[in-house]
Structures are given as structure tokens and as C-alpha cells.
Amino acid sequence: MKADEKDYKKYSDAIDLIQQGNDAMIDLFNEMEDDTELIGFDQNVVEQIEKAKAKFGDDAVNEKINTVVREMLSWLDLGDSDGSS
């Protein structure tokens, strides 16, 4: 295929952009982590949480759930192996 300098520059720039996009995708792929559930909620609990979030907002419900779980975990002897309290 024949090309003048203007066409050559456009193709060169396009190839550079494609390469940058590929590099960005590779970086994103390399930074991915497995998404594992901490808690396997039953479906009815998931539905109740969704209803509560719709009514009271994500932040309020998240705060309440964290408070309850934190309290429940305080009942367990976790041995404080990481040094935190």
C-alpha cells in the first residue's frame, strides 16, 4: 500500500495509540485480584440488605452491618495474632 507522509503519520499515531491501549489493558490485567466473598449471605438476606439500602442509603446500612459484625466478632477469641485490637 502506498502512502504519503501525512498518511504514514496517521497510521503511525494510530499504532502508537493501540499499543498504549494494549499496555494499559495488560497493566489492568496484572493488577487484578481474585474477588472472594467474605460472607456468603443467603438470598433472602441479600434482598433485605438491598431493600434497606434503597430505603436508608448505602452508607447507613453499611455502618449498621459493620457495627453488628464487629460486635459479633468481639465475642470470638481471635487471638489478636496481628497485634491490633
Side-chain angles (χ1 to χ4, degrees):
M1 177 172 138
K2 294 185 180 184
D4 61 18
E5 191 170 326
K6 180 181 165 186
D7 290 335
Y8 179 80
K9 177 72 172 137
K10 285 190 334 188
Y11 282 106
S12 177
D13 290 346
I15 290 170
D16 289 344
L17 289 173
I18 291 169
Q19 186 60 44
Q20 289 173 6
N22 285 339
D23 290 344
M25 291 299 295
I26 290 168
D27 289 343
L28 286 172
F29 178 79
N30 288 336
E31 292 172 5
M32 276 198 260
E33 298 176 7
D34 287 339
D35 186 17
T36 55
E37 290 184 11
L38 291 176
I39 300 172
F41 290 114
D42 293 335
Q43 186 57 37
N44 63 336
V45 174
V46 170
E47 291 168 3
Q48 290 176 329
I49 291 171
E50 289 171 347
K51 287 179 184 177
K53 285 186 172 192
K55 184 171 184 176
F56 300 106
D58 287 357
D59 291 341
V61 174
N62 288 340
E63 182 181 338
K64 294 288 186 185
I65 290 172
N66 275 287
T67 300
V68 170
V69 171
R70 189 178 304 110
E71 180 65 25
M72 188 268 317
L73 290 173
S74 73
W75 303 337
L76 302 175
D77 180 15
L78 301 176
D80 294 318
S81 60
D82 65 353
S84 63
S85 22

